[in-house]
């Protein structure tokens, strides 16, 4: 395993200082995380980048690829209505090109508060990440802003069938799946061969659907592998069956989605382009654009690019997304990332009305004498 070089202690302290000043409580998170949960949140494509571990006879797990989910689980377990946490420690992801370290240091802050003003909290997360990245000494930084939620609001303006709109919103952060959906545009949907199993599972609560799968596996003598739970597998079977039967985009709708995904401009120009591409006035889109105007008015002075399709490796983000990039390192090696992930709390068994936003900095990338 390639380990990232150590960053001088004074540089780490300088990078950490803006986050520490935000009044967050220090927190640690388990090094070993459930594999099935990680795959559910990141998709199967992430499997090749995970370090999978398994005790004899035990469930598959993985070394911590990120802190956000682990910290969110700790927060939910605490029972607290709100919390602000700062973390520092190693994370682990395999390098597919063999050139990047596979164990690397992360610094970050996660903020959970049901009553928080989301725009103000978003601005704070971006500002803290910018100050921390800047404290590393690089002078070639750019702030890139996106919004998964804006895509969901945008497609509401295209007069799509509800099932298709829901599917597009669900796969917005997964480029491969979204491109496949765009490639289907204009095609006639052939009647799909009905799946009796999917139809049976679709009518059951998630836990009951999982129990039925377990019973079928036992009768067939099948031992499931791969780290996913039965309820999760059942849900994926149902979603795939629904996707086969869903209507397709028209060519015009597909073109609008492609142009939306391609926006990369100064914020004012980017917001204007979103309005131009919208098919009709939609309250959700109008509200999302007003929220963006409020964010931009409060953000730190910086070189800002607005790319609404900006996503991250993990697809639990459902609102603001951002990256702080160095011109030296390029877009594939961001110095800091973050965003809003309200829906993750409910997916982990927390409150349905929870709000969450956070940021993460890679000190070795932020440090002026570090990654080159």
């Amino acid at each position: 395993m390639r380990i990232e070089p150590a960053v001088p202690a004074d540089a780490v302290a300088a990078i950490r200082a803006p986050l520490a000043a935000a009044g967050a409580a220090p927190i640690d998170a388990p090094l070993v995380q459930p594999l099935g949960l990680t795959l559910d949140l990141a998709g199967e494509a992430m499997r090749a980048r995970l370090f999978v571990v398994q005790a004899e006879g035990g469930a598959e797990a993985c070394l911590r690829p990120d802190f956000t989910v682990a910290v969110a689980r700790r927060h939910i377990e605490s029972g607290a209505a709100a919390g602000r946490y700062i973390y520092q420690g190693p994370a682990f992801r395999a390098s597919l090109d063999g050139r990047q370290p596979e164990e690397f240091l992360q610094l970050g802050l996660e903020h959970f508060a049901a009553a928080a003003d989301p725009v103000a909290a978003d601005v704070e997360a971006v500002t803290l990440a910018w100050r921390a990245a800047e404290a590393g000494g690089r002078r070639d930084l750019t702030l890139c802003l996106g919004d998964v939620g804006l895509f969901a609001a945008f497609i509401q303006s295209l007069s799509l069938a509800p099932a298709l709109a829901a599917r597009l919103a669900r796969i917005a952060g997964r480029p491969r799946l979204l491109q496949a959906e765009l490639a289907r545009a204009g095609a006639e949907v052939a009647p799909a061969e009905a799946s009796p199993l999917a139809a049976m599972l679709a009518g059951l609560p998630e836990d009951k659907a999982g129990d039925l799968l377990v019973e079928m596996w036992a009768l067939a003598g099948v031992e499931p592998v791969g780290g996913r739970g039965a309820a999760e597998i059942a849900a994926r079977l149902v979603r795939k069956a629904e996707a086969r039967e869903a209507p397709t985009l028209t060519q015009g709708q597909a073109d609008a989605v492609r142009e939306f995904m391609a926006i990369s401009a100064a914020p004012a120009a980017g917001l204007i382009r979103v309005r131009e591409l919208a098919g009709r006035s939609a309250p959700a889109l109008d509200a999302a654009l007003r929220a963006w105007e409020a964010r931009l008015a409060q953000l730190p002075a910086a070189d800002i690019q607005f790319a609404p399709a900006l996503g991250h490796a993990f697809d639990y983000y459902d609102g603001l997304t951002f990256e702080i990039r160095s011109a030296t390192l390029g877009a594939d090696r961001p110095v800091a990332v973050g965003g809003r992930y309200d829906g993750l709390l409910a997916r982990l068994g927390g409150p349905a009305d929870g709000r969450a936003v956070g940021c993460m900095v890679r000190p070795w990338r932020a440090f002026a004498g570090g990654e080159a």
Side-chain angles (χ1 to χ4, degrees):
M1 179 181 292
R2 296 187 63 232
I3 300 175
E4 190 174 68
V7 181
D10 58 343
V12 173
I15 295 165
R16 181 187 173 95
L19 305 183
I27 192 171
D28 196 9
L31 193 64
V32 176
Q33 294 292 311
L35 177 62
L37 176 63
T38 303
L39 292 176
D40 184 40
L41 296 172
E44 286 292 341
M46 177 57 74
R47 181 187 286 272
R49 301 196 61 194
L50 299 175
F51 287 93
V52 178
V53 295
Q54 183 178 26
E56 185 174 354
E60 286 186 301
C62 63
L63 297 183
R64 178 177 63 207
D66 186 69
F67 274 81
T68 299
V69 173
V71 172
R73 293 175 69 202
R74 279 287 180 89
H75 170 69
I76 292 169
E77 290 165 1
S78 75
R84 186 188 291 255
Y85 309 96
I86 185 173
Y87 62 81
Q88 177 178 333
F92 305 83
R93 292 187 209 170
S95 172
L96 299 182
D97 61 10
R99 293 181 294 177
Q100 296 300 310
E102 296 169 328
E103 178 183 332
F104 49 88
L105 181 66
Q106 284 191 347
L107 271 171
L109 183 142
E110 309 295 343
H111 181 198
F112 308 98
D117 174 0
V119 170
D122 287 352
V123 169
E124 181 191 40
V126 174
T127 302
L128 290 173
W130 180 262
R131 290 174 181 167
E134 238 185 355
R138 290 191 185 271
R139 295 295 176 260
D140 62 348
L141 301 179
T142 299
L143 173 60
C144 300
L145 300 170
D147 189 351
V148 176
L150 183 60
F151 178 75
F154 172 74
I155 61 177
Q156 287 187 25
S157 77
L158 301 181
S159 303
L160 304 181
L164 179 57
R167 172 168 168 74
L168 286 173
R170 190 165 56 241
I171 64 176
R174 297 188 175 183
R176 182 180 60 81
L177 295 179
L178 184 57
Q179 289 304 318
E181 192 65 49
L182 293 173
R184 293 201 315 146
E188 291 188 13
V189 180
E193 185 176 341
S195 167
L197 177 58
M200 187 186 307
L201 296 174
L204 297 173
E206 187 173 297
D207 57 340
K208 298 296 185 184
D211 291 343
L212 178 60
L213 269 188
V214 170
E215 183 177 347
M216 293 176 62
W217 290 336
L219 290 172
V222 173
E223 184 68 30
V225 297
R228 292 188 178 277
E232 180 188 343
I233 293 172
R236 288 171 64 84
L237 285 172
V238 172
R239 288 200 299 267
K240 286 186 176 182
E242 291 172 345
R244 286 195 298 269
E245 299 170 1
T248 64
L249 292 163
T250 66
Q251 286 293 349
Q253 291 166 342
D255 289 342
V257 171
R258 288 190 185 95
E259 292 189 48
F260 176 92
M261 302 298 285
I263 293 173
S264 181
L271 294 179
I272 290 172
R273 185 60 179 145
V274 171
R275 289 190 175 93
E276 291 173 347
L277 292 171
R280 60 179 172 81
S281 177
L285 181 60
D286 294 341
L289 292 174
R290 286 195 300 271
W292 265 105
E293 291 166 353
R295 284 189 193 95
L296 292 168
Q298 303 174 56
L299 284 172
D303 181 4
I304 301 178
Q305 283 291 109
F306 180 65
L310 177 70
H312 299 324
F314 296 91
D315 75 346
Y316 46 71
Y317 291 96
D318 49 21
L320 166 83
T321 56
F322 66 88
E323 292 183 353
I324 297 171
R325 297 173 179 171
S326 158
T328 302
L329 301 180
D332 293 336
R333 294 182 287 166
V335 171
V337 302
R340 175 160 294 280
Y341 52 95
D342 296 341
L344 176 64
L345 298 180
R347 292 172 70 179
L348 295 174
D353 62 348
R355 292 192 178 277
V357 66
C359 61
M360 177 279 292
V361 183
R362 293 276 296 268
W364 180 241
R365 292 179 178 173
F367 177 42
E371 191 168 330

